Amino acid sequence: MNYEIDHQKLSEQIILTAKKASVTAGLYIFLVFILVFCLYCLGIISLVGSPKELMNFSNPQFVEKILVDKATEFMILNTLLSICMHYLLGGVYGIIKEVNEKSYAGLGSAFKTVFSVRGLKVLNVIIVVQLIGTAISFLLQWSGFALVGLGISFLLQFLTYFVIPAIYIDGCSVLKSIRFSIQTVNQKPGFLMFFIATTYFLSLTGLFFFGIGIILTLPLNYIVAYSLYIHINEQIKS
């Protein structure tokens, strides 16, 4: 598998896609954040017993005690909500794909993408990657190697970077998309790591604008992943 990155062509594709998809994608991401936040609040309430107990979270001693007493429950809650959020955010690829095909996309294209056969494939991948990453991190943290576990989790996410785009864009099988992602990343690991890290940094700059700006900058992660996949896949197919 050989490919080259045409930086100018890739940049033009990213900018063009961002102009057409950022607003709709940002709105969809905002709705996902609200939904996940509500689910998280319900999960916290179920763990502490009642909504009134939420007032005690202003007490550091109460927070420390409940985090110790219900450490496993909080870990399960965080894992489930992380899976849910990653799964729902994958709908951004549906928006990006539709704007590139029809020049316009509504929120419906995101929901159609998520609640589809391809969406179920993506959900399976997210569950497996999340559970493996969480299990490795937990075991290494328990053994006193927390940083090693964090590094392995990052590596796992990096190697599977193109899995979700491959499924949503071309309908690849889970195994084929994983194989494609690992081979693609291994071809140019240094460049892709730098490029992806820069993208994540730029997308997080929205946090500096009272946190609200991230709704407009976070879609950049999905736009870059989509554009990179298309750019690389076109060369491989030709």
Side-chain angles (χ1 to χ4, degrees):
M1 178 184 292
N2 294 313
Y3 63 89
E4 296 295 331
I5 302 295
D6 185 333
H7 297 275
Q8 182 176 352
K9 182 179 178 181
L10 178 61
S11 299
E12 290 174 352
Q13 178 62 36
I14 291 172
I15 293 172
L16 180 62
T17 304
K19 288 180 179 178
K20 295 189 291 185
S22 291
V23 175
T24 307
L27 177 59
Y28 176 73
I29 289 173
F30 180 64
L31 293 176
V32 170
F33 281 174
I34 291 176
L35 175 60
V36 173
F37 176 75
C38 292
L39 291 175
Y40 191 74
C41 288
L42 291 175
I44 294 294
I45 291 172
S46 67
L47 290 178
V48 299
S50 68
K52 292 182 180 180
E53 293 293 330
L54 293 178
M55 302 298 294
N56 293 326
F57 272 78
S58 59
N59 184 348
Q61 293 180 345
F62 175 80
V63 174
E64 183 178 355
K65 182 178 183 302
I66 197 169
L67 287 177
V68 172
D69 294 343
K70 296 184 178 293
T72 302
E73 289 87 343
F74 271 103
M75 184 182 70
I76 294 173
L77 176 64
N78 289 331
T79 301
L80 290 175
L81 288 179
S82 178
I83 291 172
C84 178
M85 186 172 69
H86 281 88
Y87 170 58
L88 292 176
L89 287 177
V92 175
Y93 288 112
I95 294 174
I96 298 171
K97 184 177 181 180
E98 190 155 326
V99 296
N100 281 319
E101 293 175 352
K102 301 179 182 179
S103 298
Y104 172 79
L107 295 177
S109 58
F111 293 108
K112 288 178 182 177
T113 299
V114 170
F115 300 109
S116 64
V117 175
R118 295 182 183 186
L120 291 177
K121 291 181 183 178
V122 167
L123 179 60
N124 290 331
V125 172
I126 292 173
I127 291 173
V128 171
V129 172
Q130 190 71 39
L131 290 180
I132 291 175
T134 300
I136 292 175
S137 296
F138 176 77
L139 290 174
L140 288 174
Q141 185 175 2
W142 181 72
S143 303
F145 299 98
L147 290 178
V148 177
L150 184 63
I152 292 176
S153 295
F154 280 136
L155 178 61
L156 188 62
Q157 295 290 338
F158 179 53
L159 289 174
T160 56
Y161 182 74
F162 292 105
V163 172
I164 296 178
I167 294 174
Y168 275 140
I169 297 170
D170 287 327
C172 296
S173 65
V174 173
L175 292 178
K176 184 178 179 181
S177 61
I178 292 175
R179 192 183 310 115
F180 172 87
S181 183
I182 293 174
Q183 290 176 346
T184 303
V185 169
N186 282 332
Q187 184 74 21
K188 297 183 184 295
F191 167 78
L192 288 176
M193 182 172 289
F194 174 79
F195 195 81
I196 294 169
T198 302
T199 301
Y200 274 97
F201 174 77
L202 291 174
S203 68
L204 291 176
T205 56
L207 289 173
F208 296 106
F209 299 99
F210 307 103
I212 300 175
I214 196 171
I215 297 170
L216 298 176
T217 56
L218 195 58
L220 181 63
N221 290 330
Y222 299 90
I223 292 169
V224 168
Y226 181 96
S227 301
L228 264 175
Y229 175 81
I230 294 294
H231 185 73
I232 293 170
N233 205 36
E234 284 178 349
Q235 296 181 50
I236 294 173
K237 286 182 177 180
S238 61

